[in-house]
Amino acid sequence: MNLAAATNESLAHTSNVLIYSSMAVYTLAFFAHIAEWVLGSRSKVGRTAAALSGAAGSSAAAPVVVQAGSTAVLERPKVVTRAAAGTRDVPDGPGAAGGTFKGDLWGRIAVSLTVVAFVVEAGGVITRALSVQRAPWANMYEFSITFSTVAVGAYLVLLALKKNVRWIGLPLVTTVLLDLGIAVTTLYTDSDQLVPALHSYWLWIHVSTAIICGAVFYLGAVGTVLYLFRDSYENKLAGGGTPGKFASSVMERLPSASSLDKFSYRINAAVFPLWTFTIIAGAIWAGDAWGRYWGWDPKEVWSFITWVAYAAYLHARATAGWKGRKAAYLALVAFACWLFNYYGVNIFVTGLHSYAGV
């Protein structure tokens, strides 16, 4: 074995060690997020329940009277407008920490551990690239570890921008652990060189944008799922129902249905142009590699179906009669199309994109 081969093998081994190490740290972050939810005070969360119950019986928030010395001062509460038909004056919840010091402390620990795991995992992706001297996303294993790295990176960027997204932490870390678990057990592929068709700078452009889009679409899908649960919770309160203690403890801490709906819409709308560029870049690469821009290959077809599904969602979201839950269902269908395009097409369907193997 020559020196170069030995170096590449050493880098590949280092990459595997870093990926497994990141999984260990993500596991610690997972338990810290659990502690944030469990140890956050529910007494303070009860304030949100009172606000929800009071808001359910009115279409507009009434001014609140606050005594300032001997003078009564009117303070108008913050109004959050629901994206679905009609309006509902519902404030955002206090977050997983429940507005308490103990819960917030565990939340900060969870975020710190997530940052460490992200750095370690990113190191695993970089060393994988160095071991093969190419872009580290030429097969499903490499795509998966890069995908989870980008998803966590996008989450941390939103946190750095002071966005109220710490509630994503628990579902995100859970999904990352699942993704990495599948990657290292089922999808793992030894470091190897590419077939000639993949030796192109378009590998860096086309696949990297696909990974970014998938990671951000995932964050939008999490927001959409939580929106549906939170909207059902608010509807039950508005109808005079009494949710269970577990549902109340979780739902009352989340942002309002309106905020979750807006978050999902803005995330999906922001990345949709990049998904459009991904398909165009793939067509250009296909023209260079295979002599045609479009050949109705299964991967091409499902990429286009995903594009149509997200376009339908964005159109529905801009149409008055399809806001709220109907549009949310379309968003989940669109993300399901993206998932099938990745897992289903790659594993179960044979096409021109199958040469990279698992």
Side-chain angles (χ1 to χ4, degrees):
M1 182 182 295
N2 58 39
L3 179 61
T7 301
N8 292 340
E9 183 177 344
S10 176
L11 287 171
H13 176 71
T14 301
S15 173
N16 294 340
V17 171
L18 289 173
I19 294 300
Y20 277 104
S21 299
S22 71
M23 293 177 65
V25 183
Y26 278 128
T27 301
L28 295 177
F30 169 80
F31 285 115
H33 276 298
I34 291 291
E36 178 186 14
W37 280 95
V38 171
L39 300 178
S41 172
R42 299 183 184 184
S43 60
K44 290 191 176 184
V45 175
R47 299 175 187 174
T48 305
L52 288 174
S53 300
S58 62
S59 59
V64 178
V65 179
V66 179
Q67 293 293 332
S70 59
T71 305
V73 180
L74 294 179
E75 289 189 353
R76 186 172 298 278
K78 180 180 178 181
V79 175
V80 179
T81 303
R82 188 166 174 251
T87 58
R88 183 183 294 154
D89 307 329
V90 179
D92 289 337
T100 63
F101 173 79
K102 183 181 292 186
D104 183 64
L105 175 62
W106 279 104
R108 291 177 183 275
I109 292 173
V111 171
S112 298
L113 288 170
T114 302
V115 171
V116 173
F118 166 76
V119 172
V120 174
E121 186 182 11
V125 173
I126 293 172
T127 52
R128 175 76 176 197
L130 293 175
S131 70
V132 291
Q133 300 179 10
R134 57 167 171 76
W137 43 72
N139 52 60
M140 290 187 70
Y141 169 74
E142 295 174 354
F143 191 102
S144 293
I145 62 175
T146 307
F147 169 82
S148 57
T149 303
V150 174
V152 175
Y155 165 69
L156 295 178
V157 167
L158 291 175
L159 284 178
L161 294 175
K162 308 297 183 182
K163 303 298 182 181
N164 177 26
V165 295
R166 206 163 81 184
W167 46 269
I168 298 180
L170 181 57
L172 173 63
V173 171
T174 303
T175 306
V176 167
L177 283 172
L178 178 62
D179 174 71
L180 291 178
I182 295 174
V184 299
T185 57
T186 304
L187 304 178
Y188 181 77
T189 304
D190 289 329
S191 299
D192 200 359
Q193 295 305 309
L194 302 175
V195 296
L198 289 179
H199 282 289
S200 171
Y201 59 88
W202 284 107
L203 177 65
W204 291 91
I205 300 172
H206 171 62
V207 184
S208 65
T209 55
I211 292 172
I212 293 171
C213 289
V216 179
F217 280 149
Y218 164 76
L219 296 181
V222 172
T224 301
V225 170
L226 293 179
Y227 157 73
L228 291 173
F229 281 109
R230 172 76 186 207
D231 187 61
S232 295
Y233 176 78
E234 292 180 11
N235 284 335
K236 189 168 187 177
L237 286 177
T242 304
K245 291 183 178 180
F246 178 79
S248 297
S249 175
V250 174
M251 292 296 112
E252 288 165 8
R253 305 193 203 190
L254 293 174
S256 66
S258 171
S259 295
L260 290 170
D261 186 41
K262 290 176 183 176
F263 169 81
S264 302
Y265 171 68
R266 289 169 180 172
I267 285 288
N268 290 325
V271 79
F272 180 73
L274 187 60
W275 182 247
T276 304
F277 170 77
T278 301
I279 295 176
I280 295 173
I284 296 174
W285 188 10
D288 290 342
W290 302 319
R292 92 289 187 278
Y293 295 104
W294 192 267
W296 299 103
D297 181 73
K299 179 71 70 173
E300 297 170 351
V301 170
W302 276 97
S303 295
F304 179 67
I305 290 174
T306 303
W307 184 91
V308 171
Y310 273 108
Y313 161 71
L314 295 176
H315 177 72
R317 200 49 185 70
T319 304
W322 276 82
K323 288 185 178 180
R325 298 184 70 86
K326 292 181 180 179
Y329 292 137
L330 280 177
L332 293 182
V333 168
F335 185 67
C337 290
W338 188 92
L339 282 180
F340 181 78
N341 188 32
Y342 174 48
Y343 286 106
V345 172
N346 284 359
I347 295 176
F348 303 111
V349 181
T350 301
L352 289 174
H353 289 75
S354 302
Y355 47 65
V358 174

